[in-house]
Amino acid sequence: MTTPDTRPGIPTRGPQLTATQVWRQLQRSSFAVISYRTPAGDPRSSGVLYAAEGRRLYVVVATDSWKARHIAVDGRVAVTVPVRRGGLLSLLMPIPPATISFHGRATVRPAGEPEIGALPGRVARLLPTERRASSTIIEIAPEGRFATYGIGVSLQRMRHPAAARATVPVADR
């Protein structure tokens, strides 16, 4: 167990975020690392492009991909979205990304379901016309709480874990 740093000038409390603020950040981002288990129980993770729409994340993958086959087995996933910080300053010094992490339930939608016209605009753009028949859509519904690091805080405060961490319910109450 860790204890908060109580030295003078060291913040001991993280940002007060809302689910709406976290969802807004998820909608601005497009890359995530999705983790899942193989049917044999081995851990796997993969980088994916996603679109956030209606409090869900959508990922387009090849129908015969490991992600499509393995996630369909039990539908449990963990997702981490790195959020680039620092602007031009990040070109001069190593600034780690902020992150949003959560676990959720994933539904693997077979190729051709739903019809491309029924998909929200951001999701439809992930699915090129030439890949519609050979792609699967994975719909991810976050559950529980988001765990964030560095969201809603200055780069200076990111240096202090207690000041940079927050947990937020996935839905505003």
Side-chain angles (χ1 to χ4, degrees):
M1 183 169 122
T2 61
T3 58
D5 193 332
T6 56
R7 291 179 288 171
I10 303 295
T12 59
R13 190 166 176 213
Q16 300 299 300
L17 298 171
T18 66
T20 300
Q21 291 171 305
V22 176
W23 277 106
R24 193 174 303 127
Q25 187 62 59
L26 288 171
Q27 289 173 337
R28 285 195 294 247
S29 297
S30 61
F31 177 80
V33 176
I34 185 171
S35 301
Y36 49 94
R37 289 187 309 227
T38 67
D42 295 326
R44 290 282 186 270
S45 61
S46 301
V48 296
L49 292 177
Y50 75 88
E53 190 73 43
R55 304 260 168 146
R56 301 276 193 275
L57 270 59
Y58 295 88
V59 177
V60 175
V61 299
T63 300
D64 62 349
S65 69
W66 279 10
K67 289 180 282 283
R69 292 191 322 257
H70 294 171
I71 292 171
V73 172
D74 80 353
R76 302 292 301 154
V77 295
V79 178
T80 297
V81 176
V83 178
R84 188 174 142 106
R85 298 282 313 262
L88 292 175
L89 187 59
S90 67
L91 299 174
L92 302 173
M93 25 189 328
I95 296 175
T99 58
I100 301 169
S101 298
F102 61 90
H103 67 272
R105 176 71 52 198
T107 304
V108 178
R109 308 272 182 212
E113 178 200 310
E115 289 301 318
I116 192 68
L119 292 173
R122 290 182 185 151
V123 181
R125 285 191 289 277
L126 286 177
L127 188 55
T129 305
E130 65 276 6
R131 288 187 44 214
R132 289 182 186 167
S134 63
S135 295
T136 296
I137 296 173
I138 300 173
E139 177 183 340
I140 302 170
E143 296 177 337
R145 300 179 72 81
F146 292 118
T148 69
Y149 191 90
I151 303 295
V153 299
S154 68
L155 292 176
Q156 184 80 356
R157 286 179 63 98
M158 278 182 71
R159 298 182 325 158
H160 306 288
R165 284 190 300 246
T167 60
V168 182
V170 298
D172 290 322
R173 295 180 183 185

